[in-house]
Amino acid sequence: DAGVIQSPRHEVTEMGQEVTLRCKPISGHNSLFWYRQTMMRGLELLIYFNNNVPIDDSGMPEDRFSAKMPNASFSTLKIQPSEPRDSAVYFCASSLAQAGGSYNEQFFGPGTRLTVL
Amino acid sequence: GENVEQHPSTLSVQEGDSAVIKCTYSDSASNYFPWYKQELGKRPQLIIDIRSNVGEKKDQRIAVTLNKTAKHFSLHITETQPEDSAVYFCAPTRGNTGFQKLVFGTGTRLLVSP
């Protein structure tokens, strides 16, 4: 298995532009997570999906951020319009969540380093 | 919400020494306690985890101990090596059964000097 795939790996854009980050989870996993990592705020969960349905988006900073999961093998995180304070590394992770509370490892993608000028 | 703290924030040791990192949490419903390692410029990766019905778990040079009463769990690394240098995150679970999400601590930077 190729693991969690993210694209692009690096993105440099100007303030006000739209940014779309992409993620392909591990085949067979039913949960997908978007995280943001900065020096100041650490590793923050933005949103997570279970069986393609958003379960908790309480970590999404504001309306400029949106996430979709149209099918089990693809998710996007969009920022529109982007601002310099959005500069961070964005990680996607996936896991196999099991009914009854049994918890399994989250596998992280390589991340997308976003710089907004 | 869940409050997760790690101590120390940085830890410097000599190669061969032991290192201990402590994680305290506030949610008494937490029942899964993993530790992730993140090397510079890389992704976080799970190195060891423990579930609430176990007090200690060992895997070669690393171990995790859990004290649910006191709401803390610790990562122990023995015979440290330079390649252990990284940032370590604890991430106790929170949330409802079946839809649990990790809440990451602030991280501990471990530096192992040769």
Side-chain angles (χ1 to χ4, degrees):
Chain A
D1 196 322
V4 176
I5 299 172
Q6 290 186 248
S7 64
R9 294 293 306 278
H10 301 272
E11 176 81 25
V12 180
T13 190
E14 293 189 345
M15 182 173 63
Q17 295 298 304
E18 177 179 297
V19 175
T20 299
L21 310 182
R22 297 173 176 80
C23 176
K24 176 178 168 55
I26 292 173
S27 177
H29 282 186
N30 60 1
S31 293
L32 183 139
F33 306 80
W34 282 101
Y35 292 91
R36 177 172 69 176
Q37 187 173 38
T38 62
M39 288 295 293
M40 292 299 295
R41 300 177 67 88
L43 198 57
E44 305 173 278
L45 177 67
L46 300 178
I47 185 171
Y48 77 100
F49 296 84
N50 183 262
N51 292 326
N52 312 339
V53 176
I55 301 300
D56 187 337
D57 65 355
S58 60
M60 295 286 262
E62 50 199 270
D63 291 345
R64 298 185 297 107
F65 285 68
S66 63
K68 293 182 180 179
M69 192 164 186
N71 57 62
S73 59
F74 184 65
S75 177
T76 60
L77 178 67
K78 187 176 293 187
I79 309 172
Q80 166 63 17
S82 58
E83 295 182 5
R85 60 193 168 117
D86 301 330
S87 298
V89 178
Y90 290 81
F91 287 103
C92 175
S94 72
S95 73
L96 178 61
Q98 297 176 340
S102 178
Y103 201 87
N104 287 322
E105 176 181 357
Q106 285 190 20
F107 293 85
F108 282 74
T112 295
R113 182 173 295 278
L114 174 64
T115 302
V116 183
L117 303 174
Chain B
E2 173 75 290
N3 186 26
V4 180
E5 294 185 358
Q6 286 184 232
H7 295 281
S9 57
T10 58
L11 180 59
S12 294
V13 299
Q14 292 290 317
E15 183 177 1
D17 288 349
S18 294
V20 181
I21 303 169
K22 185 176 179 180
C23 178
T24 59
Y25 61 95
S26 60
D27 188 353
S28 57
S30 294
N31 61 358
Y32 175 71
F33 307 93
W35 284 95
Y36 281 77
K37 174 184 180 182
Q38 186 177 25
E39 298 177 8
L40 187 62
K42 301 288 182 64
R43 73 194 78 185
Q45 290 188 295
L46 179 72
I47 55 171
I48 195 166
D49 58 13
I50 194 169
R51 299 179 192 272
S52 62
N53 57 343
V54 179
E56 182 175 353
K57 182 178 178 181
K58 219 174 174 184
D59 183 2
Q60 299 182 343
R61 295 188 299 107
I62 60 173
V64 56
T65 57
L66 171 65
N67 185 329
K68 280 210 78 179
T69 303
K71 295 183 193 171
H72 65 74
F73 62 113
S74 297
L75 175 68
H76 305 256
I77 307 174
T78 58
E79 300 171 30
T80 54
Q81 301 169 0
E83 51 265 39
D84 295 329
S85 297
V87 178
Y88 291 82
F89 295 94
C90 63
T93 62
R94 63 179 295 203
N96 297 323
T97 298
F99 295 114
Q100 295 176 322
K101 63 181 183 182
L102 304 179
V103 176
F104 282 85
T106 49
T108 296
R109 185 173 300 278
L110 174 65
L111 176 62
V112 181
S113 303

